[in-house]
Amino acid sequence: EADIYQTPRYLVIGTGKKITLECSQTMGHDKMYWYQQDPGMELHLIHYSYGVNSTEKGDLSSESTVSRIRTEHFPLTLESARPSHTSQYLCASSELYPGAEAFFGQGTRLTVV
Amino acid sequence: AQKITQTQPGMFVQEKEAVTLDCTYDTSDPSYGLFWYKQPSSGEMIFLIYQGSYDQQNATEGRYSLNFQKARKSANLVISASQLGDSAMYFCAMRADMNTGFQKLVFGTGTRLLVSP
């Protein structure tokens, strides 16, 4: 049973608002990831971290930012939401060894109107 | 750069039959890992099975097995005795650059499986 949590589960917000998507895991994993996924489509890596105070941009350019001040917490922030940000955002974590599976949260479905 | 290709957008199978979902990959790194995930309509990602590039035997987990053909760079998922609950999106993923400090997990475009009674 994965112990990784994302809030909110669903979010509808107006254009221009600042939002933070929360992601927390209780497994002590060093690696954490954020993926963006449009319905029925592939997952695109937008941010990742391999420990406290380390964050990197992923393969898909994103206007979002992330922080990793604590091992268990990896929030994603959009300073000014736009309709093009409408998507599902999935957070994941894994241990450091190469064969470690990634555990995923249930995702946040974001709609910007 | 690493790449995962899933060429089957959708697959249909009857209950109790076996089905194979295709996955090919490309990486220049000799050390890599291949994963399959299931994504039901509820949206969560469920880990199914893992195969390491140096593993001698094909991985199996219950009704799931991975047909790993290294020379062809393929890692097909075989689901035996399909059940209605197997209807979902299935994603193949790869983690390459295994000997470096961070290994990104890259996903394919997915295959939608529909199991009919």
Side-chain angles (χ1 to χ4, degrees):
Chain A
E1 189 74 22
D3 294 315
I4 178 164
Y5 307 101
Q6 289 185 244
T7 57
R9 185 81 174 87
Y10 301 92
L11 179 62
V12 181
I13 199 161
T15 298
K17 299 290 187 184
K18 177 179 178 179
I19 57 170
T20 296
L21 308 185
E22 299 289 346
C23 176
S24 294
Q25 51 99 2
T26 59
M27 297 172 281
H29 290 166
D30 286 309
K31 287 189 198 174
M32 294 192 76
Y33 317 71
W34 275 104
Y35 289 89
Q36 184 176 341
Q37 183 189 29
D38 291 329
M41 303 295 285
E42 66 194 290
L43 283 73
H44 293 284
L45 182 66
I46 51 174
H47 297 284
Y48 59 95
S49 165
Y50 42 86
V52 172
N53 294 326
S54 98
T55 61
E56 300 286 343
K57 288 193 178 293
D59 300 321
L60 181 69
S61 175
S62 174
E63 294 166 341
S64 59
T65 59
V66 292
S67 62
R68 190 88 183 274
I69 299 172
R70 303 196 314 268
T71 297
E72 62 271 21
H73 195 214
F74 192 41
L76 181 145
T77 298
L78 275 165
E79 289 294 331
S80 179
R82 295 208 303 267
S84 61
H85 296 140
T86 295
S87 189
Q88 170 159 263
Y89 294 84
L90 288 158
C91 180
S93 72
S94 70
E95 295 187 52
L96 278 175
Y97 65 90
E101 72 198 73
F103 292 92
F104 283 81
Q106 288 199 298
T108 294
R109 292 184 192 260
L110 173 66
T111 303
V112 184
V113 298
Chain B
Q2 62 221 56
K3 184 177 171 63
I4 291 282
T5 302
Q6 293 180 255
T7 57
Q8 305 157 314
M11 288 286 286
F12 295 90
V13 66
Q14 274 203 310
E15 204 176 2
K16 299 179 185 175
E17 291 187 348
V19 62
T20 297
L21 306 184
D22 294 342
C23 172
T24 58
Y25 59 90
D26 187 28
T27 180
S28 57
D29 199 298
S31 179
Y32 52 88
L34 294 152
F35 302 77
W36 276 92
Y37 283 84
K38 171 184 177 182
Q39 187 179 42
S41 57
S42 52
E44 74 269 31
M45 295 286 284
I46 302 166
F47 167 74
L48 297 177
I49 196 166
Y50 166 79
Q51 178 87 42
S53 59
Y54 294 123
D55 293 342
Q56 295 296 315
Q57 291 190 321
N58 286 347
T60 60
E61 286 287 347
R63 294 186 298 113
Y64 305 108
S65 61
L66 204 152
N67 184 3
F68 182 47
Q69 297 187 46
K70 199 169 181 177
R72 298 180 61 185
K73 292 192 173 181
S74 75
N76 299 337
L77 176 71
V78 180
I79 305 174
S80 63
S82 298
Q83 301 172 355
L84 295 178
D86 293 335
S87 293
M89 281 287 285
Y90 288 81
F91 290 95
C92 181
M94 176 171 64
R95 178 179 285 141
D97 301 324
M98 302 282 262
N99 295 320
T100 59
F102 190 89
Q103 307 90 32
K104 294 185 288 186
L105 190 60
V106 176
F107 285 80
T109 52
T111 296
R112 184 171 297 282
L113 176 67
L114 185 61
V115 181
S116 59

